[in-house]
Amino acid sequence: MRMTVLGCGDAFGSGGRFNTCFHLALADGHRVALDFGATSMVALNREGLDPDGLDAVIISHLHGDHAGGVPFLLLYLHYVVGRTRPLTIAGPPGVDDWLRRAVEVLFGKTGQPWSFPLAVVAVAPGEDATVAGLDVAAFPVVHGDVTSHALRLSDGAKVLAYSGDTAWTDVLIEVGRDADLFIMECYAPEGPCATHTDWETLAAHLPEISARRVMLTHMNPAMLAKRETVSVGTLADGMVVSI
């Protein structure tokens, strides 16, 4: 599994980073985006990755910096590409209604079928789901009043764990258990923060996390300034990571 970091920024583009989006190239040929924030079409084009190459988009939660680019993707595939092969959008319960409303609000497109088969799949904690060759498990996390999930993705050989956006919760220990890579959000150097994890809190829990590698994402300006001082890796836009 090869991951290209299309965006690992916060909601506000701190440090000039794009919104969250990770492009996964699987050994079986599938191509999957993990989250697809508002800037993701720009980021795909910057990295020379074809949006039409995606087989699926898996969304951790429905905030714009993690899902806001999906309507742009759909319209591009429909109007520019004339795509005919299927696409899957997977996300938390309610993703189907959210997507319909987002497309209507952003583009006024209602009632017209897409040029391609579109499957919109809700993935809830405790339910098994397979999306474009990946086994997907969702875990409830703490991110204000929005339904937000941490995710474990497995291709049968490797496990990618992802916290999504969340304040620290002990469920993250299970999410990251023995994962080959754990992408962990770390918004600020210090807390507490009701909706995000800070480095001070995360560092105290690192001994409980058994992932082979932990890398930080979704950092605000203060955390970006301290990223060279932390004891784990940090992501950057354009980085390619073998999992």
Side-chain angles (χ1 to χ4, degrees):
M1 192 187 305
R2 185 179 74 251
M3 179 180 77
T4 301
V5 180
L6 296 177
C8 60
D10 61 9
F12 313 113
S14 295
R17 296 178 172 211
F18 288 136
N19 293 154
T20 299
C21 186
F22 308 109
H23 182 279
L24 306 177
L26 308 184
D28 67 1
H30 282 108
R31 300 293 182 264
V32 177
L34 175 57
D35 276 349
F36 206 83
T39 57
S40 296
M41 287 294 292
V42 180
L44 276 166
N45 282 287
R46 183 195 63 177
E47 295 301 323
L49 293 169
D50 184 2
D52 191 34
L54 290 172
D55 298 290
V57 178
I58 302 172
I59 300 167
S60 64
H61 67 291
L62 299 174
H63 278 162
D65 58 321
H66 291 259
V70 175
F72 297 85
L73 173 64
L74 298 184
L75 267 76
Y76 173 79
L77 297 178
H78 177 82
Y79 287 111
V80 178
V81 176
R83 180 177 172 125
T84 58
R85 67 188 187 88
L87 179 73
T88 299
I89 307 294
V95 62
D96 51 350
D97 182 59
W98 174 88
L99 185 57
R100 177 190 57 77
R101 290 185 290 110
V103 171
E104 182 176 354
V105 167
L106 291 173
F107 290 104
K109 184 182 186 304
T110 59
Q112 180 179 338
W114 301 107
S115 64
F116 53 92
L118 176 64
V120 183
V121 178
V123 181
E127 297 180 357
D128 295 326
T130 301
V131 179
L134 289 170
D135 293 328
V136 181
F139 299 76
V141 291
V142 182
H143 192 48
D145 58 1
V146 66
T147 298
S148 189
H149 291 156
L151 299 167
R152 277 177 68 94
L153 311 179
S154 174
D155 63 358
K158 299 291 185 177
V159 174
L160 171 61
Y162 172 46
S163 69
D165 280 5
T166 179
W168 176 263
T169 168
D170 285 347
V171 75
L172 294 170
I173 298 169
E174 179 60 27
V175 173
R177 191 177 307 281
D178 299 327
D180 295 282
L181 174 63
F182 186 15
I183 301 172
M184 179 66 212
E185 78 115 292
C186 188
Y187 186 66
E190 301 171 343
C193 179
T195 56
H196 291 283
T197 301
D198 63 275
W199 173 247
E200 185 177 52
T201 300
L202 176 58
H205 288 283
L206 279 177
E208 303 168 77
I209 296 175
S210 61
R212 294 174 178 82
R213 185 165 36 160
V214 177
M215 301 190 80
L216 306 184
T217 189
H218 209 278
M219 293 172 278
N220 72 5
M223 188 64 214
L224 285 170
K226 297 177 77 71
R227 66 186 183 276
E228 302 296 336
T229 69
V230 301
S231 60
V232 298
T234 61
L235 296 178
D237 288 7
M239 180 181 287
V240 178
V241 180
S242 294
I243 302 171

